[in-house]
Structures are given as C-alpha cells and as structure tokens.
Amino acid sequence: DAGVIQSPRHEVTEMGQEVTLRCKPISGHNSLFWYRQTMMRGLELLIYFNNNVPIDDSGMPEDRFSAKMPNASFSTLKIQPSEPRDSAVYFCAGGQGALAGGPHTGELFFGEGSRLTVL
Amino acid sequence: AQTVTQSQPEMSVQEAETVTLSCTYDTSESNYYLFWYKQPPSRQMILVIRQEAYKQQNATENRFSVNFQKAAKSFSLKISDSQLGDTAMYFCAFMNRLSEKLVFGKGTKLTVNP
C-alpha cells in the first residue's frame, strides 16, 4: 500500500483565496483525522471522521474551515477565504477504528503533510 | 478534556548514551492508549511505541521503552544506545479508546550529538 497520500505537498497562495487540501487514506482504514502543525501551537486536531461521518469538529478554528469525507477513500479540508495566520503544515492521518473490525491498536498512519503558505 | 504535557522543549544526548523524555497527561478516563510518535526533519510522523492503559507491563520496542505510571499519569520514553538517526521531534499522545480521539503534547526536540 502507498500509505496515506496528501496533496498538494506545498501550496503558496494569496490572502483571500480558497485553498483545498486533499487526503487519500489507506484502504480499509475507517477513521480519518486532520491536524494542523505550527511552531506556536504544535499539533492541533482540527476534525476527525469515523466511517466517513464527522465525529468531532471542535478543533476547527472558524467557519472559514470546512472538511468533508464523501467516501472512505477521500477527504478534503477547505479554507475559504484563507488568511496569513492559516500558514501551517496540515496533516491527514488514518487508522483502523474499533468499528472496522479486526484488532484495534489505536495507531494512526500519517501522510507527509501539506505545507500551506498564505501571503 | 484530555491534555498532554511535555515539559522538555529541547534535549540533547551523546551518541550511544541513554536519554529519557518526560510526558504527563490528564484524564478521567480509564480505557485509553498512550503513544510516542517521532517526527524527523523529513516531517513524516512515525509511531515509536504504544501502551495500553490496562496493561501494567511497560512496553518495549528494541532500544525504546516506556515507564508507564498510571496513578501518577506519567508516560516517559527511554531511548537506549542513542543513534544519530534518533534526532527528531518526539510527541507524546493520548487516545481515548471510546472516542478514538488522539491528542498530542507540544513535543520535545531531541538532538543526538556524535
């Protein structure tokens, strides 16, 4: 398996533009997490899904952020409009949740991250 | 809400020596996992070791071991025979087994010197 695939790896955009980050989890994994990493705040959990359903979005900073998981193999994180303070590395991670059946270890598998710079 | 605290922002160790990274957490739950993840300069997050809260025995993975003190809510990572490749950010993390929500500490930057 290719692992968790995120795109784009790097994105530079101007303030006010819409940004869409994409994630393809490992096949068979039914939980998916979006994290944001900055020097100041570390790794913040933005939202996570279980079986494509959003479970907890309390970490989403504001209404400018939205996330979807239309099917088990794809998720998006959208920022509209983007602001300079959104500059960060955004990670997608997935795992085999307890409801997926099989052994539950809690381990999450991370993508390589999308580095976003908003000018 | 669960919180994870790593009190050592940076640490350094000489190659081949042993180093211990500290982590404390706060929870009212009894059923949970604890993890240490490593993030090298390449940015990829990698699982180092995991511990299930109901297990009293400390987890061990080769040169990596933990000291899990459930009553004290402490979960430290010991790296023996440190290698240059161990240079990375290390994150302690907590997962509630019911909600499956994974929360990270702020991380400890470890540098292994030759």
Side-chain angles (χ1 to χ4, degrees):
Chain A
D1 201 317
V4 177
I5 300 173
Q6 289 187 247
S7 65
R9 289 294 312 278
H10 303 275
E11 172 101 4
V12 179
T13 190
E14 292 190 346
M15 183 173 64
Q17 296 298 305
E18 177 179 298
V19 173
T20 299
L21 307 178
R22 298 173 177 81
C23 176
K24 177 177 166 47
I26 294 172
S27 177
H29 285 179
N30 70 326
S31 67
L32 186 138
F33 295 69
W34 282 100
Y35 288 90
R36 176 171 70 176
Q37 185 176 30
T38 60
M39 289 290 290
M40 291 295 293
R41 292 199 174 97
L43 274 160
E44 301 173 275
L45 175 61
L46 300 177
I47 185 171
Y48 73 102
F49 296 83
N50 208 313
N51 290 326
N52 313 337
V53 176
I55 302 299
D56 186 340
D57 65 355
S58 60
M60 296 286 260
E62 47 200 274
D63 292 346
R64 297 185 297 107
F65 285 69
S66 63
K68 293 182 180 179
M69 191 163 187
N71 56 61
S73 59
F74 184 65
S75 177
T76 60
L77 178 68
K78 186 177 292 187
I79 309 171
Q80 166 63 20
S82 59
E83 296 181 3
R85 61 192 166 120
D86 302 330
S87 297
V89 179
Y90 291 81
F91 285 98
C92 172
Q96 189 164 341
L99 295 178
H104 180 235
T105 67
E107 179 179 2
L108 293 191
F109 296 82
F110 283 76
E112 294 183 312
S114 295
R115 180 178 293 280
L116 172 65
T117 302
V118 183
L119 302 174
Chain B
Q2 287 81 24
T3 58
V4 179
T5 302
Q6 294 180 248
S7 59
Q8 305 150 314
E10 292 193 42
M11 295 189 73
S12 63
V13 64
Q14 293 299 120
E15 197 175 4
E17 293 188 346
T18 295
V19 64
T20 298
L21 280 57
S22 302
C23 172
T24 57
Y25 59 96
D26 187 23
T27 185
S28 57
E29 302 294 331
S30 59
N31 194 4
Y32 53 88
Y33 295 113
L34 293 163
F35 305 88
W36 280 96
Y37 279 85
K38 169 184 177 180
Q39 186 180 38
S42 65
R43 209 166 75 192
Q44 181 90 47
M45 294 283 283
I46 304 164
L47 179 67
V48 174
I49 198 165
R50 63 185 280 274
Q51 175 81 40
E52 298 184 57
Y54 72 87
K55 290 187 177 178
Q56 291 186 330
Q57 185 173 8
N58 289 323
T60 300
E61 288 287 341
N62 300 314
R63 298 183 295 106
F64 299 88
S65 61
V66 298
N67 184 2
F68 174 45
Q69 301 289 327
K70 191 171 183 179
K73 295 180 182 174
S74 169
F75 184 62
S76 60
L77 174 69
K78 185 171 84 171
I79 306 174
S80 305
D81 186 26
S82 298
Q83 300 176 359
L84 297 178
D86 295 334
T87 293
M89 283 289 289
Y90 286 82
F91 293 94
C92 180
F94 173 101
M95 176 182 277
N96 179 321
R97 283 194 70 166
L98 285 179
S99 70
E100 299 181 296
K101 181 175 180 177
L102 184 67
V103 176
F104 286 90
K106 291 270 194 266
T108 296
K109 183 179 180 182
L110 176 68
T111 302
V112 180
N113 299 307

